[in-house]
Amino acid sequence: MNSPPINEFIQAVVYDHSIATGLKACKTDQDIVDYAASKGFIFSSSEWQLYLALDRKTLSDSELAKILVVPVEHWSWAFRKVALWRAMLMDGV
């Protein structure tokens, strides 16, 4: 199940610097859902969790381990949640 609002939000983060910048403050998945809603992209926490689960299926165990060790306090934490957002990060971040 791909939620159009989630897909639109994912793309908005990629293409709109102001939306991407706001994502840096998110420390939980619920923060991401709430932030998306504040920008007009409405989807549930369960839809977000399903999206993340499907995204993680594409990762190797070592890739997943690298994502899971990043502390939520690090500005890049939220960007590591989704493949398209991870692609925005430079190596070594």
PDB file of all heavy atoms in Angstrom, residues 29 48-61 63-64 67-68 77 80-83 86:
ATOM      1  N   ASP A  29       9.427   8.925  14.900  1.00  0.00           N
ATOM      2  CA  ASP A  29       8.588   8.728  13.718  1.00  0.00           C
ATOM      3  C   ASP A  29       7.304   9.545  13.832  1.00  0.00           C
ATOM      4  O   ASP A  29       6.817  10.085  12.847  1.00  0.00           O
ATOM      5  CB  ASP A  29       8.274   7.251  13.507  1.00  0.00           C
ATOM      6  CG  ASP A  29       9.478   6.500  12.975  1.00  0.00           C
ATOM      7  OD1 ASP A  29      10.137   7.005  12.053  1.00  0.00           O
ATOM      8  OD2 ASP A  29       9.770   5.401  13.478  1.00  0.00           O
ATOM      9  N   TRP A  48       2.759   5.280   7.964  1.00  0.00           N
ATOM     10  CA  TRP A  48       4.180   5.619   7.942  1.00  0.00           C
ATOM     11  C   TRP A  48       5.033   4.391   8.311  1.00  0.00           C
ATOM     12  O   TRP A  48       6.036   4.098   7.667  1.00  0.00           O
ATOM     13  CB  TRP A  48       4.451   6.785   8.894  1.00  0.00           C
ATOM     14  CG  TRP A  48       5.890   7.191   8.979  1.00  0.00           C
ATOM     15  CD1 TRP A  48       6.701   7.111  10.073  1.00  0.00           C
ATOM     16  CD2 TRP A  48       6.699   7.747   7.935  1.00  0.00           C
ATOM     17  NE1 TRP A  48       7.953   7.578   9.767  1.00  0.00           N
ATOM     18  CE2 TRP A  48       7.976   7.980   8.458  1.00  0.00           C
ATOM     19  CE3 TRP A  48       6.458   8.061   6.602  1.00  0.00           C
ATOM     20  CZ2 TRP A  48       9.016   8.508   7.705  1.00  0.00           C
ATOM     21  CZ3 TRP A  48       7.502   8.599   5.843  1.00  0.00           C
ATOM     22  CH2 TRP A  48       8.753   8.818   6.391  1.00  0.00           C
ATOM     23  N   GLN A  49       4.605   3.671   9.334  1.00  0.00           N
ATOM     24  CA  GLN A  49       5.354   2.478   9.750  1.00  0.00           C
ATOM     25  C   GLN A  49       5.371   1.424   8.645  1.00  0.00           C
ATOM     26  O   GLN A  49       6.397   0.767   8.430  1.00  0.00           O
ATOM     27  CB  GLN A  49       4.777   1.911  11.055  1.00  0.00           C
ATOM     28  CG  GLN A  49       5.022   2.784  12.257  1.00  0.00           C
ATOM     29  CD  GLN A  49       6.499   3.072  12.502  1.00  0.00           C
ATOM     30  OE1 GLN A  49       7.352   2.205  12.360  1.00  0.00           O
ATOM     31  NE2 GLN A  49       6.795   4.304  12.870  1.00  0.00           N
ATOM     32  N   LEU A  50       4.260   1.251   7.955  1.00  0.00           N
ATOM     33  CA  LEU A  50       4.207   0.312   6.837  1.00  0.00           C
ATOM     34  C   LEU A  50       5.154   0.755   5.731  1.00  0.00           C
ATOM     35  O   LEU A  50       5.891  -0.054   5.172  1.00  0.00           O
ATOM     36  CB  LEU A  50       2.778   0.181   6.307  1.00  0.00           C
ATOM     37  CG  LEU A  50       2.592  -0.734   5.106  1.00  0.00           C
ATOM     38  CD1 LEU A  50       3.058  -2.157   5.408  1.00  0.00           C
ATOM     39  CD2 LEU A  50       1.147  -0.726   4.652  1.00  0.00           C
ATOM     40  N   TYR A  51       5.147   2.041   5.423  1.00  0.00           N
ATOM     41  CA  TYR A  51       6.048   2.574   4.397  1.00  0.00           C
ATOM     42  C   TYR A  51       7.503   2.287   4.769  1.00  0.00           C
ATOM     43  O   TYR A  51       8.290   1.824   3.946  1.00  0.00           O
ATOM     44  CB  TYR A  51       5.823   4.080   4.224  1.00  0.00           C
ATOM     45  CG  TYR A  51       6.612   4.662   3.085  1.00  0.00           C
ATOM     46  CD1 TYR A  51       6.040   4.786   1.828  1.00  0.00           C
ATOM     47  CD2 TYR A  51       7.934   5.063   3.250  1.00  0.00           C
ATOM     48  CE1 TYR A  51       6.759   5.304   0.766  1.00  0.00           C
ATOM     49  CE2 TYR A  51       8.671   5.572   2.194  1.00  0.00           C
ATOM     50  CZ  TYR A  51       8.075   5.699   0.957  1.00  0.00           C
ATOM     51  OH  TYR A  51       8.803   6.199  -0.099  1.00  0.00           O
ATOM     52  N   LEU A  52       7.853   2.540   6.028  1.00  0.00           N
ATOM     53  CA  LEU A  52       9.231   2.301   6.477  1.00  0.00           C
ATOM     54  C   LEU A  52       9.592   0.819   6.404  1.00  0.00           C
ATOM     55  O   LEU A  52      10.704   0.468   5.999  1.00  0.00           O
ATOM     56  CB  LEU A  52       9.420   2.808   7.908  1.00  0.00           C
ATOM     57  CG  LEU A  52       9.313   4.313   8.115  1.00  0.00           C
ATOM     58  CD1 LEU A  52       9.474   4.651   9.593  1.00  0.00           C
ATOM     59  CD2 LEU A  52      10.317   5.071   7.260  1.00  0.00           C
ATOM     60  N   ALA A  53       8.654  -0.036   6.793  1.00  0.00           N
ATOM     61  CA  ALA A  53       8.917  -1.480   6.755  1.00  0.00           C
ATOM     62  C   ALA A  53       9.181  -1.943   5.328  1.00  0.00           C
ATOM     63  O   ALA A  53      10.098  -2.736   5.083  1.00  0.00           O
ATOM     64  CB  ALA A  53       7.745  -2.245   7.361  1.00  0.00           C
ATOM     65  N   LEU A  54       8.400  -1.446   4.393  1.00  0.00           N
ATOM     66  CA  LEU A  54       8.607  -1.819   2.987  1.00  0.00           C
ATOM     67  C   LEU A  54       9.934  -1.271   2.468  1.00  0.00           C
ATOM     68  O   LEU A  54      10.650  -1.945   1.716  1.00  0.00           O
ATOM     69  CB  LEU A  54       7.443  -1.325   2.135  1.00  0.00           C
ATOM     70  CG  LEU A  54       6.100  -1.990   2.410  1.00  0.00           C
ATOM     71  CD1 LEU A  54       4.985  -1.294   1.639  1.00  0.00           C
ATOM     72  CD2 LEU A  54       6.156  -3.474   2.077  1.00  0.00           C
ATOM     73  N   ASP A  55      10.287  -0.073   2.880  1.00  0.00           N
ATOM     74  CA  ASP A  55      11.555   0.532   2.472  1.00  0.00           C
ATOM     75  C   ASP A  55      12.740  -0.267   3.014  1.00  0.00           C
ATOM     76  O   ASP A  55      13.718  -0.496   2.312  1.00  0.00           O
ATOM     77  CB  ASP A  55      11.620   1.981   2.962  1.00  0.00           C
ATOM     78  CG  ASP A  55      12.876   2.690   2.506  1.00  0.00           C
ATOM     79  OD1 ASP A  55      12.923   3.087   1.322  1.00  0.00           O
ATOM     80  OD2 ASP A  55      13.817   2.832   3.313  1.00  0.00           O
ATOM     81  N   ARG A  56      12.633  -0.705   4.250  1.00  0.00           N
ATOM     82  CA  ARG A  56      13.734  -1.442   4.885  1.00  0.00           C
ATOM     83  C   ARG A  56      13.956  -2.808   4.260  1.00  0.00           C
ATOM     84  O   ARG A  56      15.052  -3.353   4.368  1.00  0.00           O
ATOM     85  CB  ARG A  56      13.470  -1.594   6.377  1.00  0.00           C
ATOM     86  CG  ARG A  56      13.653  -0.303   7.117  1.00  0.00           C
ATOM     87  CD  ARG A  56      13.411  -0.473   8.591  1.00  0.00           C
ATOM     88  NE  ARG A  56      13.563   0.805   9.260  1.00  0.00           N
ATOM     89  CZ  ARG A  56      12.931   1.132  10.364  1.00  0.00           C
ATOM     90  NH1 ARG A  56      12.107   0.267  10.929  1.00  0.00           N
ATOM     91  NH2 ARG A  56      13.117   2.308  10.905  1.00  0.00           N
ATOM     92  N   LYS A  57      12.934  -3.349   3.620  1.00  0.00           N
ATOM     93  CA  LYS A  57      13.087  -4.657   2.969  1.00  0.00           C
ATOM     94  C   LYS A  57      14.157  -4.628   1.880  1.00  0.00           C
ATOM     95  O   LYS A  57      14.694  -5.660   1.520  1.00  0.00           O
ATOM     96  CB  LYS A  57      11.761  -5.127   2.377  1.00  0.00           C
ATOM     97  CG  LYS A  57      10.810  -5.654   3.386  1.00  0.00           C
ATOM     98  CD  LYS A  57       9.588  -6.215   2.697  1.00  0.00           C
ATOM     99  CE  LYS A  57       8.920  -7.203   3.622  1.00  0.00           C
ATOM    100  NZ  LYS A  57       7.953  -8.025   2.938  1.00  0.00           N
ATOM    101  N   THR A  58      14.452  -3.450   1.362  1.00  0.00           N
ATOM    102  CA  THR A  58      15.445  -3.328   0.287  1.00  0.00           C
ATOM    103  C   THR A  58      16.869  -3.246   0.821  1.00  0.00           C
ATOM    104  O   THR A  58      17.818  -3.275   0.041  1.00  0.00           O
ATOM    105  CB  THR A  58      15.172  -2.073  -0.570  1.00  0.00           C
ATOM    106  OG1 THR A  58      15.387  -0.899   0.222  1.00  0.00           O
ATOM    107  CG2 THR A  58      13.750  -2.078  -1.123  1.00  0.00           C
ATOM    108  N   LEU A  59      17.028  -3.160   2.146  1.00  0.00           N
ATOM    109  CA  LEU A  59      18.344  -2.973   2.742  1.00  0.00           C
ATOM    110  C   LEU A  59      19.004  -4.294   3.108  1.00  0.00           C
ATOM    111  O   LEU A  59      18.328  -5.232   3.533  1.00  0.00           O
ATOM    112  CB  LEU A  59      18.228  -2.126   4.011  1.00  0.00           C
ATOM    113  CG  LEU A  59      17.698  -0.713   3.854  1.00  0.00           C
ATOM    114  CD1 LEU A  59      17.496  -0.078   5.225  1.00  0.00           C
ATOM    115  CD2 LEU A  59      18.633   0.119   3.010  1.00  0.00           C
ATOM    116  N   SER A  60      20.306  -4.308   2.990  1.00  0.00           N
ATOM    117  CA  SER A  60      21.061  -5.449   3.519  1.00  0.00           C
ATOM    118  C   SER A  60      21.129  -5.301   5.039  1.00  0.00           C
ATOM    119  O   SER A  60      20.844  -4.220   5.592  1.00  0.00           O
ATOM    120  CB  SER A  60      22.475  -5.460   2.947  1.00  0.00           C
ATOM    121  OG  SER A  60      23.222  -4.370   3.458  1.00  0.00           O
ATOM    122  N   ASP A  61      21.521  -6.353   5.724  1.00  0.00           N
ATOM    123  CA  ASP A  61      21.634  -6.287   7.180  1.00  0.00           C
ATOM    124  C   ASP A  61      22.637  -5.230   7.607  1.00  0.00           C
ATOM    125  O   ASP A  61      22.413  -4.502   8.573  1.00  0.00           O
ATOM    126  CB  ASP A  61      22.035  -7.648   7.752  1.00  0.00           C
ATOM    127  CG  ASP A  61      20.915  -8.664   7.661  1.00  0.00           C
ATOM    128  OD1 ASP A  61      19.739  -8.267   7.471  1.00  0.00           O
ATOM    129  OD2 ASP A  61      21.210  -9.871   7.777  1.00  0.00           O
ATOM    130  N   GLU A  63      23.504  -2.482   5.951  1.00  0.00           N
ATOM    131  CA  GLU A  63      22.934  -1.156   5.699  1.00  0.00           C
ATOM    132  C   GLU A  63      21.935  -0.784   6.793  1.00  0.00           C
ATOM    133  O   GLU A  63      21.937   0.346   7.288  1.00  0.00           O
ATOM    134  CB  GLU A  63      22.247  -1.115   4.333  1.00  0.00           C
ATOM    135  CG  GLU A  63      23.194  -1.154   3.162  1.00  0.00           C
ATOM    136  CD  GLU A  63      22.467  -1.342   1.836  1.00  0.00           C
ATOM    137  OE1 GLU A  63      21.455  -2.078   1.792  1.00  0.00           O
ATOM    138  OE2 GLU A  63      22.920  -0.752   0.848  1.00  0.00           O
ATOM    139  N   LEU A  64      21.105  -1.739   7.164  1.00  0.00           N
ATOM    140  CA  LEU A  64      20.118  -1.497   8.214  1.00  0.00           C
ATOM    141  C   LEU A  64      20.821  -1.191   9.539  1.00  0.00           C
ATOM    142  O   LEU A  64      20.423  -0.269  10.256  1.00  0.00           O
ATOM    143  CB  LEU A  64      19.183  -2.691   8.363  1.00  0.00           C
ATOM    144  CG  LEU A  64      18.070  -2.557   9.386  1.00  0.00           C
ATOM    145  CD1 LEU A  64      17.190  -1.342   9.099  1.00  0.00           C
ATOM    146  CD2 LEU A  64      17.231  -3.826   9.430  1.00  0.00           C
ATOM    147  N   ILE A  67      21.988   2.365   9.754  1.00  0.00           N
ATOM    148  CA  ILE A  67      20.890   3.312   9.946  1.00  0.00           C
ATOM    149  C   ILE A  67      20.441   3.312  11.402  1.00  0.00           C
ATOM    150  O   ILE A  67      20.196   4.369  11.988  1.00  0.00           O
ATOM    151  CB  ILE A  67      19.709   2.967   9.019  1.00  0.00           C
ATOM    152  CG1 ILE A  67      20.092   3.256   7.575  1.00  0.00           C
ATOM    153  CG2 ILE A  67      18.446   3.707   9.404  1.00  0.00           C
ATOM    154  CD1 ILE A  67      19.130   2.678   6.558  1.00  0.00           C
ATOM    155  N   LEU A  68      20.349   2.147  11.988  1.00  0.00           N
ATOM    156  CA  LEU A  68      19.799   2.019  13.336  1.00  0.00           C
ATOM    157  C   LEU A  68      20.728   2.546  14.428  1.00  0.00           C
ATOM    158  O   LEU A  68      20.265   2.843  15.530  1.00  0.00           O
ATOM    159  CB  LEU A  68      19.422   0.571  13.617  1.00  0.00           C
ATOM    160  CG  LEU A  68      18.294   0.011  12.737  1.00  0.00           C
ATOM    161  CD1 LEU A  68      18.055  -1.462  13.037  1.00  0.00           C
ATOM    162  CD2 LEU A  68      17.022   0.818  12.908  1.00  0.00           C
ATOM    163  N   TRP A  77      19.253  11.953  11.342  1.00  0.00           N
ATOM    164  CA  TRP A  77      18.475  10.780  11.743  1.00  0.00           C
ATOM    165  C   TRP A  77      17.249  10.563  10.865  1.00  0.00           C
ATOM    166  O   TRP A  77      17.045   9.480  10.317  1.00  0.00           O
ATOM    167  CB  TRP A  77      18.061  10.903  13.216  1.00  0.00           C
ATOM    168  CG  TRP A  77      17.145   9.810  13.648  1.00  0.00           C
ATOM    169  CD1 TRP A  77      17.509   8.563  14.069  1.00  0.00           C
ATOM    170  CD2 TRP A  77      15.714   9.836  13.665  1.00  0.00           C
ATOM    171  NE1 TRP A  77      16.380   7.822  14.359  1.00  0.00           N
ATOM    172  CE2 TRP A  77      15.268   8.584  14.115  1.00  0.00           C
ATOM    173  CE3 TRP A  77      14.763  10.796  13.346  1.00  0.00           C
ATOM    174  CZ2 TRP A  77      13.921   8.269  14.255  1.00  0.00           C
ATOM    175  CZ3 TRP A  77      13.415  10.486  13.481  1.00  0.00           C
ATOM    176  CH2 TRP A  77      13.008   9.240  13.940  1.00  0.00           C
ATOM    177  N   ARG A  80      17.661   9.306   7.265  1.00  0.00           N
ATOM    178  CA  ARG A  80      18.075   7.910   7.088  1.00  0.00           C
ATOM    179  C   ARG A  80      16.890   6.953   7.062  1.00  0.00           C
ATOM    180  O   ARG A  80      17.045   5.773   6.793  1.00  0.00           O
ATOM    181  CB  ARG A  80      19.054   7.523   8.187  1.00  0.00           C
ATOM    182  CG  ARG A  80      20.329   8.330   8.093  1.00  0.00           C
ATOM    183  CD  ARG A  80      21.266   8.073   9.243  1.00  0.00           C
ATOM    184  NE  ARG A  80      22.338   9.034   9.261  1.00  0.00           N
ATOM    185  CZ  ARG A  80      23.474   8.918   8.565  1.00  0.00           C
ATOM    186  NH1 ARG A  80      23.666   7.868   7.802  1.00  0.00           N
ATOM    187  NH2 ARG A  80      24.397   9.841   8.646  1.00  0.00           N
ATOM    188  N   LYS A  81      15.695   7.459   7.302  1.00  0.00           N
ATOM    189  CA  LYS A  81      14.505   6.621   7.380  1.00  0.00           C
ATOM    190  C   LYS A  81      14.039   6.090   6.031  1.00  0.00           C
ATOM    191  O   LYS A  81      13.423   5.041   5.971  1.00  0.00           O
ATOM    192  CB  LYS A  81      13.346   7.406   8.020  1.00  0.00           C
ATOM    193  CG  LYS A  81      13.644   7.992   9.383  1.00  0.00           C
ATOM    194  CD  LYS A  81      13.909   6.947  10.416  1.00  0.00           C
ATOM    195  CE  LYS A  81      12.648   6.442  11.039  1.00  0.00           C
ATOM    196  NZ  LYS A  81      12.872   5.412  12.052  1.00  0.00           N
ATOM    197  N   VAL A  82      14.299   6.825   4.949  1.00  0.00           N
ATOM    198  CA  VAL A  82      13.709   6.534   3.636  1.00  0.00           C
ATOM    199  C   VAL A  82      14.802   6.541   2.561  1.00  0.00           C
ATOM    200  O   VAL A  82      15.684   7.398   2.579  1.00  0.00           O
ATOM    201  CB  VAL A  82      12.638   7.605   3.303  1.00  0.00           C
ATOM    202  CG1 VAL A  82      12.074   7.425   1.918  1.00  0.00           C
ATOM    203  CG2 VAL A  82      11.531   7.593   4.344  1.00  0.00           C
ATOM    204  N   ALA A  83      14.724   5.609   1.634  1.00  0.00           N
ATOM    205  CA  ALA A  83      15.757   5.468   0.596  1.00  0.00           C
ATOM    206  C   ALA A  83      16.018   6.769  -0.161  1.00  0.00           C
ATOM    207  O   ALA A  83      17.182   7.154  -0.349  1.00  0.00           O
ATOM    208  CB  ALA A  83      15.377   4.357  -0.382  1.00  0.00           C
ATOM    209  N   ARG A  86      17.927   9.045   2.099  1.00  0.00           N
ATOM    210  CA  ARG A  86      19.307   8.592   2.304  1.00  0.00           C
ATOM    211  C   ARG A  86      20.177   8.983   1.128  1.00  0.00           C
ATOM    212  O   ARG A  86      21.345   9.322   1.288  1.00  0.00           O
ATOM    213  CB  ARG A  86      19.354   7.080   2.525  1.00  0.00           C
ATOM    214  CG  ARG A  86      18.815   6.653   3.861  1.00  0.00           C
ATOM    215  CD  ARG A  86      19.093   5.195   4.168  1.00  0.00           C
ATOM    216  NE  ARG A  86      18.468   4.270   3.259  1.00  0.00           N
ATOM    217  CZ  ARG A  86      17.230   3.790   3.383  1.00  0.00           C
ATOM    218  NH1 ARG A  86      16.478   4.163   4.396  1.00  0.00           N
ATOM    219  NH2 ARG A  86      16.745   2.943   2.510  1.00  0.00           N
TER     220      ARG A  86
END
